Amino acid sequence: MSATTALLRFDQDHPVWTGELFVLAGESPEDLDLLARRGLVEEREGVWSLTQEGTTGFRAEAAECFLDAAPGPFPEDCRQSLRRTRWQLLLDRAFRGRWGLKEFQPGAVLPFWPGLSPEERHRCGTEGVRWLFEEHPAVRALRDRPLAIPSSREEAEAFRAPWDLPWGRLSLDLLLLFRYDFHCYQDQRPLPTDEGGFANTDRLLCRFVGADTTLEDLAAHLGEVHLFLLHQRRLLLPRLFDRDAQEQDAVTWWVGCCEEEGQARELAARWTPLGAQLAAPSLPLDLWLVSREVLEGVKEPEESFWDLFSRGGHRLFCPA
């Protein structure tokens, strides 16, 4: 790899690196040292980031390569940024995904409507989770809306406007859009309401979880997932969110990401009995757990993420 390629690693989605992650990404430690000698990157307690000169150099190199990429400023939560980068690299190398394109978005924040409060979305009890949002008048109106794609963003906004409800924000640690057989769809014009680029993709919605993640924590997050999917399926991309332009299934998986395999097994034992209940408002939807330890142990990449998870993941729920 060249020093130019190495410099362009420091984009807005991956603003900081360690030497270990740099090697995991396929870059040379010598290139990192070269960038440092040129004053383009600097090291703080084992973490590398762009200098002011490096930020300028990044913009120049990106423009010369015709890349729509921005340099990454030093993040508020350095540890979280490094963790997301590690998961991206491990997941990327764990399956081939032939004839497709993997589009990773660390720290993705996805807007959805209506942005109901946790108290309006769910209630946890001894029998699991009760989903309250399904009775909300705006949600009922979405479910009753004819399955037609709005001709413009303005038409979609006209549906939302009378309710005077806020937007919500679904925060993910990692979003993977897998554009399978992308060459079959590359000449299709983007739909005006598909601002997230979800049409003709499979999606993995990844969230960090651990032994201290409670059912209340999970339900609060999944409530946002359900409203996001409802907004996509009933208003923005009716009929085209779960079926692509060639009438093939387009799948959506929620993936809980654990650091240790023991944690994944523990959470699987705790949540699998509730799997159908947790997924119920948004079928079709798969719920999975996978650990960093399993991904690190992959010696030969699987052909697809289906193969990867069936061999190394823990299925909480899969529609029949």
Side-chain angles (χ1 to χ4, degrees):
M1 298 292 181
S2 69
T4 295
T5 304
L7 178 63
L8 293 176
R9 288 284 185 185
F10 290 84
D11 61 19
Q12 58 188 352
D13 289 332
H14 315 91
V16 288
W17 291 82
T18 64
E20 177 194 2
L21 290 182
F22 218 60
V23 173
L24 186 61
E27 300 292 353
S28 167
E30 288 76 14
D31 286 335
L32 187 58
D33 292 338
L34 177 59
L35 295 179
R37 290 197 298 273
R38 292 178 178 176
L40 302 177
V41 298
E42 60 184 354
E43 184 263 343
R44 312 180 200 177
E45 299 181 356
V47 178
W48 294 89
S49 62
L50 291 174
T51 62
Q52 184 173 353
E53 186 176 346
T55 298
T56 302
F58 182 103
R59 292 195 177 100
E61 293 289 358
E64 187 171 331
C65 297
F66 302 99
L67 294 177
D68 183 19
F74 198 87
E76 292 184 7
D77 192 334
C78 181
R79 182 173 176 271
Q80 182 185 63
S81 179
L82 291 170
R83 188 182 181 192
R84 287 169 174 171
T85 295
R86 180 182 297 277
W87 272 87
Q88 174 181 335
L89 296 172
L90 291 173
L91 187 57
D92 186 27
R93 75 169 191 171
F95 76 97
R96 293 186 177 90
R98 297 181 197 269
W99 308 291
L101 294 177
K102 304 172 191 173
E103 181 182 311
F104 290 96
Q105 298 178 30
V109 178
L110 308 179
F112 64 86
W113 183 92
L116 305 180
S117 67
E119 294 75 20
E120 294 174 296
R121 295 197 303 261
H122 74 279
R123 181 179 300 133
C124 290
T126 56
E127 297 183 356
V129 181
R130 179 186 172 195
W131 298 111
L132 306 177
F133 70 85
E134 296 181 294
E135 301 303 318
H136 193 282
V139 170
R140 287 184 172 183
L142 270 175
R143 293 194 185 279
D144 292 341
R145 182 183 178 275
L147 291 175
I149 298 176
S151 59
S152 65
R153 297 177 185 176
E154 290 73 20
E155 183 180 339
E157 181 55 37
F159 176 87
R160 295 185 292 250
W163 296 96
D164 192 28
L165 291 169
W167 284 80
R169 292 162 59 86
L170 170 60
S171 296
L172 301 172
D173 287 296
L174 188 63
L175 170 65
L176 169 58
L177 300 182
F178 182 60
R179 303 188 183 279
Y180 50 85
D181 298 335
F182 68 96
H183 59 281
C184 297
Y185 308 94
Q186 58 188 357
D187 294 331
Q188 293 186 359
R189 296 178 60 185
L191 297 167
T193 54
D194 187 21
E195 298 180 9
F198 297 108
N200 304 316
T201 68
D202 289 334
R203 314 114 197 158
L204 270 59
L205 314 177
C206 303
R207 176 84 166 191
F208 294 149
V209 295
D212 59 345
T213 302
T214 65
L215 180 60
E216 175 64 33
D217 297 332
L218 180 63
H221 172 67
L222 287 181
E224 296 177 331
V225 172
H226 291 316
L227 287 172
F228 163 75
L229 294 176
L230 178 71
H231 189 218
Q232 291 289 328
R233 288 167 167 165
R234 303 301 304 193
L235 183 59
L236 302 184
L237 290 174
R239 301 187 186 277
L240 286 179
F241 191 80
D242 299 308
R243 299 283 286 178
D244 66 20
Q246 296 194 10
E247 291 300 314
Q248 300 181 94
D249 289 339
V251 305
T252 303
W253 289 10
W254 178 85
V255 180
C257 302
C258 303
E259 289 297 300
E260 301 173 3
E261 181 60 12
Q263 293 176 347
R265 292 196 188 100
E266 178 184 340
L267 292 179
R270 189 190 309 171
W271 292 341
T272 299
L274 300 174
Q277 186 184 90
L278 293 169
S282 295
L283 302 182
L285 173 66
D286 277 29
L287 305 179
W288 289 84
L289 294 172
V290 71
S291 72
R292 175 181 55 80
E293 287 184 344
V294 162
L295 295 184
E296 287 179 336
V298 173
K299 303 302 181 184
E300 184 70 21
E302 301 287 352
E303 283 299 318
S304 69
F305 66 82
W306 302 76
D307 298 321
L308 172 66
F309 280 80
S310 66
R311 289 181 173 84
H314 302 268
R315 182 188 289 110
L316 301 181
F317 179 78
C318 178

